[in-house]
DNA sequence: GTCCTGATCCTCT
DNA sequence: GAGGATCAGGACG
């Protein structure tokens, strides 16, 4: 089956991202992340996100702009991809108006399209182990450092509106951080088996 | 320049 | 549940 983008959904416009970061993080649940490459198309439904706010000690931008985090201060709707723990990458969506250093970390996807590519890239058999973590979904989707700063409102990497969901959104504290660990800025779809952690 | 830490994941016990 | 892989950014001097 071929992913029929125009028939299934429309690409989220820049205005979607140019809003309060917490609202963007919540509203991204149920949206579809798509990556079109020469090898084929991979796509997944976003089921878990985290908001990183300016003034929030866990946010890379909390101490001002640097070479690494400058994309976060740029126009919304772009990708912020950074290298972590010597071996992994994490994928974020820049939110809020230009000049504000905020972003939404995509933590988990429900695989939809290009499962075979994901299986090959991840070297894992189980569907639930393909995209249930920020570094895992980056691997499965074929996202690399070169995607840092790319515009997500157009091909080859973009986010489309998903079908309207009635699933309950659960709010918890964020995973894997020390500073700002008590802030309720993680969101996921209740009872979804593709999230990274309960 | 050195030192330490980290928005992680995997393997082993 | 613990520890290792492996490196860039940031703090410090």
């Amino acid at each position: 089956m071929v992913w029929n983008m125009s028939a299934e959904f429309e690409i989220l416009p820049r205005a979607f991202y140019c809003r309060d970061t917490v609202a963007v993080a919540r509203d991204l649940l149920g949206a579809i992340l798509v990556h079109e490459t020469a090898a084929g198309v991979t796509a997944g439904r976003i089921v878990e996100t985290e908001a990183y706010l300016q003034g929030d000690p866990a946010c890379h931008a909390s101490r001002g702009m640097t070479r690494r985090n400058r994309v976060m201060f740029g126009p919304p709707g772009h990708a912020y991809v950074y290298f972590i723990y010597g071996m992994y990458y994490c994928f974020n969506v820049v939110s809020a108006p230009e000049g504000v250093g905020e972003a939404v970390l995509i933590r988990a996807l429900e695989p939809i399209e290009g499962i075979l590519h994901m299986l090959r890239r991840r070297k894992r058999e189980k569907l639930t182990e393909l995209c249930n973590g920020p570094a895992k979904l980056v691997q499965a989707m074929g996202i690399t450092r070169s995607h840092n700063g790319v515009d997500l409102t157009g091909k080859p990497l973009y986010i489309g509106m998903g079908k309207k969901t009635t699933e309950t959104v659960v709010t918890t504290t964020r995973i894997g951080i020390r500073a700002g660990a008590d802030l309720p800025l993680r969101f996921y779809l209740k009872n979804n088996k593709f999230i990274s952690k309960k």
Side-chain angles (χ1 to χ4, degrees):
Chain A
M1 161 184 145
V2 174
W3 183 260
N4 190 336
M5 167 193 97
S6 53
E8 297 286 340
F9 59 78
E10 46 191 297
I11 294 179
L12 293 173
R14 181 129 11 249
F16 174 88
Y17 304 100
C18 194
R19 298 183 296 145
D20 171 68
T21 297
V22 170
V24 173
R26 294 181 64 102
D27 292 349
L28 276 174
L29 295 175
I32 316 292
L33 176 63
V34 186
H35 189 200
E36 299 183 6
T37 68
V41 177
T42 42
R45 183 165 172 259
I46 297 172
V47 296
E48 180 180 347
T49 61
E50 284 180 1
Y52 284 86
L53 311 178
Q54 203 164 282
D56 154 21
C59 180
H60 288 177
S62 65
R63 282 187 290 275
M65 198 189 310
T66 65
R67 196 156 86 240
R68 173 170 68 153
N69 68 24
R70 68 187 164 77
V71 173
M72 293 180 78
F73 291 88
H78 288 243
Y80 171 49
V81 181
Y82 68 88
F83 189 54
I84 189 73
Y85 295 119
M87 30 187 355
Y88 297 110
Y89 293 95
C90 290
F91 172 77
N92 298 249
V93 179
V94 177
S95 55
E98 186 167 358
V100 179
E102 304 194 342
V104 176
L105 171 69
I106 308 300
R107 283 197 58 90
L109 302 175
E110 178 176 339
I112 293 179
E113 183 71 36
I115 308 285
L116 291 177
H117 295 305
M118 294 186 181
L119 290 168
R120 198 181 61 241
R121 287 167 178 153
R122 288 276 302 133
K123 300 183 171 61
R124 285 290 176 282
E125 303 280 320
K126 287 169 70 176
L127 214 53
T128 51
E129 292 178 1
L130 293 180
C131 299
N132 63 329
K136 297 180 189 178
L137 71 90
V138 162
Q139 221 175 39
M141 293 290 291
I143 294 170
T144 69
R145 197 201 318 250
S146 70
H147 292 97
N148 187 40
V150 304
D151 189 352
L152 294 171
T153 62
K155 294 182 180 186
L157 186 63
Y158 54 93
I159 300 177
M161 201 171 332
K163 284 179 191 150
K164 204 171 244 181
T165 173
T166 55
E167 292 158 272
T168 305
V169 174
V170 181
T171 304
T172 68
T173 54
R174 295 171 292 182
I175 307 287
I177 56 170
R178 297 166 80 113
D182 55 335
L183 299 174
L185 294 174
R186 172 173 175 250
F187 310 97
Y188 64 87
L189 295 178
K190 191 175 183 179
N191 297 327
N192 188 287
K193 60 182 179 180
F194 296 95
I195 64 172
S196 64
K197 284 180 182 167
K198 294 219 179 108

